[in-house]
Amino acid sequence: MKRRSLYIYNPATDNYERVYPTFGSRMRHIFKCLAWGLVVWGVVFLVAFLCFGFQNTTYIQRENGELKSRYAMMQQRLDKALAVMEDIRQRDDNFYRVMMQMDPVKMSQRYAGLSRKTDYSNLSRLSDDNLLKALGMNMDLLERQLYAQSQSFDELRDNAFAQREKISHIPGIMPINIADYTVSSGYGMRKDPVYGSTAFHAGLDFAAPQGTPVYATADGIVKAAERAGGYGNKVDIDHGFNYLTRYAHLSKIDVVAGQRVSRGDKIGEVGSTGKSTGPHLHYEVRFKDEPQNPVNYYFFDITPAEYQAMIEASENAGHVMD
């Protein structure tokens, strides 16, 4: 298209003279065109975003919400696995290695520079990358603990072969068949059912029907088989190596003092003799005459799942029966 020219009449020369635009007017014209172009493109972009972008944004937000929900579920499962590993660690350090007279595994070996705790209180404000990072750190922590624990068990196995005689004399099974009882009271501070005062409960109470068989939990020699005040009918077994077990409130005693017994031998039956509010077995494990938590001494005849259930039951049980 041919460019249009502007002419104006000049009376002095009696001619139409061509008018040339100034630089400023040309720039104003250019900026005016650019401004209108930006307005048009802005309107087009806004319409496109409202039609398509909003839907995409809503979809992405919904997908992020689902991913965070799945992350939270995975984190809960991982936390439970870490809790079980912590129970195993405590059992390893506080029982197995004490029993074998081995030093506990150092924390630097178990965690190898990894943090044991992670703050999850602000997870909703973390970016996706940081969420994955937090999950990955906990996975690394669990893998490191599993590796360290497997090494610890290898050391314990080797040590156990060297101390077979000692193993048979350390309490290692349930005193009652696992299908025959419920834990009515755990180890630790409890309220006395008769006197109402708070006192230390030195063993576990296993509620079971009268006459339920009671078994020796390790090889040893019967130190006492007698009526003993609040314990009622009681059997004490000296296992050597500074270990002693006590079985109280029995309805029947099947052994005599000085008798040698083996792990799994029947020594009596559940009863409610002495200071008792119902048929049950009061069971204690003592090392150097100091009471130990019996839940740490069931390593031969229960599965890891049964052991975990035992820990939870002993911690939650509050009905003391003696």
Side-chain angles (χ1 to χ4, degrees):
M1 181 181 217
K2 188 175 181 181
R3 186 175 178 182
R4 296 177 61 186
S5 300
L6 177 65
Y7 293 86
I8 62 173
Y9 176 73
N10 187 348
T13 60
D14 195 27
N15 286 318
Y16 285 91
E17 297 178 355
R18 186 174 178 179
V19 178
Y20 292 93
T22 65
F23 177 77
S25 63
R26 289 181 178 181
M27 294 303 297
R28 284 194 296 272
H29 178 73
I30 292 172
F31 282 127
K32 185 177 180 181
C33 293
L34 289 175
W36 276 108
L38 289 174
V39 169
V40 172
W41 278 108
V43 172
V44 172
F45 177 80
L46 180 62
V47 171
F49 175 79
L50 292 176
C51 293
F52 305 104
F54 182 75
Q55 295 180 358
N56 290 337
T57 301
T58 302
Y59 172 77
I60 292 172
Q61 290 176 342
R62 184 171 63 252
E63 189 176 54
N64 283 344
E66 292 176 355
L67 288 173
K68 288 183 178 181
S69 176
R70 293 175 183 175
Y71 169 86
M73 293 176 61
M74 292 178 64
Q75 188 59 57
Q76 289 177 358
R77 294 176 62 184
L78 185 56
D79 286 342
K80 290 180 179 179
L82 287 170
V84 172
M85 278 303 306
E86 181 64 17
D87 286 335
I88 293 174
R89 183 196 69 78
Q90 292 182 8
R91 191 177 185 183
D92 183 26
D93 287 344
N94 300 329
F95 172 63
Y96 295 141
R97 290 183 167 267
V98 171
M99 179 180 71
M100 297 294 182
Q101 298 179 350
M102 299 170 63
D103 293 331
V105 178
K106 295 179 180 179
M107 290 301 179
S108 59
Q109 293 176 272
R110 288 191 181 277
Y111 299 103
L114 297 173
S115 173
R116 294 184 61 188
K117 295 182 179 179
T118 305
D119 182 11
Y120 303 107
S121 59
N122 296 318
L123 282 181
S124 60
R125 286 181 269 174
L126 295 177
S127 67
D128 291 344
D129 288 343
N130 286 334
L131 286 174
L132 292 174
K133 181 180 179 181
L135 183 62
M137 288 176 62
N138 268 354
M139 289 294 294
D140 290 341
L141 176 60
L142 180 59
E143 289 176 358
R144 178 63 205 178
Q145 289 190 61
L146 286 170
Y147 175 73
Q149 193 60 58
S150 67
Q151 287 189 317
S152 176
F153 284 152
D154 287 341
E155 293 176 10
L156 287 166
R157 178 198 59 201
D158 294 340
N159 203 298
F161 277 116
Q163 302 187 52
R164 292 184 183 180
E165 181 182 358
K166 182 178 180 180
I167 295 298
S168 66
H169 287 80
I170 294 176
I173 65 171
M174 301 285 294
I176 297 181
N177 190 299
I178 195 169
D180 294 336
Y181 76 91
T182 56
V183 177
S184 62
S185 177
Y187 173 88
M189 299 302 295
R190 296 289 188 270
K191 186 175 181 180
D192 190 288
V194 177
Y195 304 119
S197 58
T198 300
F200 181 75
H201 191 239
L204 291 183
D205 287 346
F206 297 93
Q210 181 104 0
T212 299
V214 176
Y215 305 101
T217 56
D219 297 357
I221 298 174
V222 177
K223 183 177 180 180
E226 60 190 5
R227 182 88 177 188
Y231 282 119
N233 292 332
K234 172 181 72 78
V235 172
D236 287 349
I237 301 178
D238 184 351
H239 302 283
F241 302 97
N242 296 309
Y243 281 98
L244 179 141
T245 53
R246 177 165 294 163
Y247 315 76
H249 309 297
L250 303 174
S251 62
K252 179 183 178 184
I253 295 176
D254 293 332
V255 292
V256 296
Q259 179 178 339
R260 186 175 295 275
V261 294
S262 298
R263 177 181 285 135
D265 286 350
K266 181 173 176 287
I267 60 171
E269 296 177 1
V270 169
S272 186
T273 56
K275 186 170 76 69
S276 172
T277 59
H280 75 287
L281 171 69
H282 174 84
Y283 175 64
E284 295 181 17
V285 176
R286 291 179 171 268
F287 179 70
K288 295 182 179 180
D289 204 32
E290 291 293 329
Q292 310 292 306
N293 191 340
V295 298
N296 292 325
Y297 290 83
Y298 305 135
F299 55 90
F300 276 130
D301 61 346
I302 61 176
T303 66
E306 291 169 339
Y307 174 71
Q308 182 65 22
M310 166 68 71
I311 291 177
E312 294 175 358
S314 64
E315 289 177 348
N316 297 327
H319 181 202
V320 182
M321 303 187 72
D322 51 42

